[in-house]
Amino acid sequence: YELGTMDGDFPPIGRLLGDQGGIWAHPVKVLDGFSFTVREEGREDWTLTDSRHFSHRFYDAEFHYERSDLAAVRHDFTAEEESVLYTMLTLRNKTDVARTVNLEFAAGVNIRPAWRSGLPNDIDEINITKGAVVAYDRENELGRVVFGADRNPDSHDVEDNIVTLTYSIYLPAGGETAIIFAIVAGPSEEKTVDREPLNRALGLRKQLLANKSEAYAQSAFEGVRFSFSDTRITEAFQLAKVNLHMLTADLRPHMPAPFFYAGIPYYTQLFGCD
């Protein structure tokens, strides 16, 4: 799951000295978060952490950004069946002149185990190969993440745990351009060290989004049903069903069966009293 704020930022959240925020594939965290920065000659740099319009449909979220001559929409969702987060950024040129901007995608790698998981936590190793970032914890067999975009970056940089990928984006006059990123958590079956898991995830994006939309529609409106003369109570029942769906975890074979997290962000564990 992805835990940040509605302006598009990833501040410290929860316990573990604020480390409960960011990108997780329980029982392992992989990123503290990520950000987009638009750079263009003659204009002030624009980091997209100032969203004025946020929308959430349970299965996905959108962040809308505006400045005088440029608009941006960030669309995020975590897959239902895979340990992958997708974020697509669409830039729209509001002028009648074609232009090229540099887009920086910066991610803070932090591979660490969940509270009381009993898993080891060693130094993270970060590599960039074929335009993809591969990071892992040698001591934790679940501690691995591969991320990148649907195209290779023009340049990259690693400073401490911050990886920055830079892309040149052409924007036609009055038009828009989209770039899709995938963040794939956990080890692949083949234990590859290149962008193979990333390529596979990018190819599944549309299908996984459709699957998740359908799963949430079924969760809210099918199965056990309830109606009441006060529509607010009927809606509360539907929301309660969706809430439980969002808290459902299936960590087999590490757990014997699916279960509900006690709560997000503070209690993403299974407690004996539950």
Side-chain angles (χ1 to χ4, degrees):
Y1 67 87
E2 173 186 31
L3 187 63
T5 50
M6 290 187 291
D7 57 5
D9 202 3
F10 290 91
I13 294 175
R15 294 187 173 87
L16 304 175
L17 299 178
D19 254 3
Q20 284 189 275
I23 314 303
W24 285 81
H26 263 277
V28 175
K29 176 178 179 173
V30 293
L31 297 182
D32 284 328
F34 59 85
S35 65
F36 293 101
T37 298
V38 179
R39 301 187 187 276
E40 187 175 10
E41 187 175 353
R43 290 177 169 83
E44 184 179 356
D45 293 346
W46 186 25
T47 299
L48 302 181
T49 54
D50 58 351
S51 172
R52 298 291 182 174
H53 174 198
F54 172 83
S55 59
H56 188 270
R57 290 174 292 208
F58 296 107
Y59 61 88
D60 68 352
E62 282 190 352
F63 308 78
H64 295 256
Y65 307 88
E66 291 280 348
R67 69 189 312 181
S68 60
D69 57 357
L70 189 64
V73 178
R74 175 181 138 194
H75 175 256
D76 290 9
F77 79 95
T78 53
E80 194 84 345
E81 302 92 350
E82 305 273 346
S83 295
V84 56
L85 163 72
Y86 296 94
T87 181
M88 179 176 73
L89 188 72
T90 303
L91 294 172
R92 181 168 59 86
N93 183 4
K94 296 164 66 175
T95 74
D96 57 2
V97 178
R99 54 210 276 214
T100 299
V101 302
N102 284 327
L103 177 68
E104 288 185 356
F105 175 84
V109 175
N110 183 7
I111 300 172
R112 62 158 302 156
W115 178 58
R116 289 194 168 185
S117 66
L119 295 171
N121 186 22
D122 204 346
I123 296 173
D124 301 335
E125 299 192 28
I126 302 172
N127 299 287
I128 300 179
T129 177
K130 299 180 181 178
V133 180
V134 181
Y136 54 91
D137 180 334
R138 287 189 180 276
E139 298 300 317
N140 184 349
E141 64 177 11
L142 301 178
R144 183 173 181 272
V145 62
V146 181
F147 61 90
D150 56 2
R151 66 203 73 179
N152 287 336
D154 294 279
S155 63
H156 63 262
D157 179 68
V158 180
E159 184 173 348
D160 194 11
N161 71 319
I162 306 298
V163 181
T164 303
L165 306 176
T166 303
Y167 303 82
S168 179
I169 306 294
Y170 173 76
L171 299 175
E176 62 184 35
T177 301
I179 181 171
I180 300 171
F181 292 81
I183 299 165
V184 186
S188 63
E189 294 180 1
E190 301 83 7
K191 297 187 182 298
T192 57
V193 294
D194 58 22
R195 62 176 291 136
E196 181 183 327
L198 174 62
N199 290 340
R200 176 181 178 275
L202 289 168
L204 292 173
R205 179 183 176 275
K206 289 184 178 180
Q207 184 60 53
L208 291 177
L209 179 58
N211 292 351
K212 188 168 188 181
S213 172
E214 177 61 25
Y216 273 78
Q218 290 180 356
S219 175
F221 304 116
E222 298 184 14
V224 178
R225 303 183 187 187
F226 173 85
S227 62
F228 191 71
S229 57
D230 187 336
T231 57
R232 295 174 299 173
I233 296 179
T234 303
E235 290 172 356
F237 180 82
Q238 294 167 340
L239 290 172
K241 292 174 64 181
V242 172
N243 186 26
L244 287 175
H245 186 88
M246 295 179 75
L247 290 171
T248 301
D250 187 349
L251 302 186
R252 292 174 291 186
H254 308 290
M255 295 291 285
F259 62 93
F260 295 128
Y261 289 133
I264 292 176
Y266 291 100
Y267 296 111
T268 44
Q269 288 88 27
L270 173 66
F271 290 91
C273 59
D274 293 338

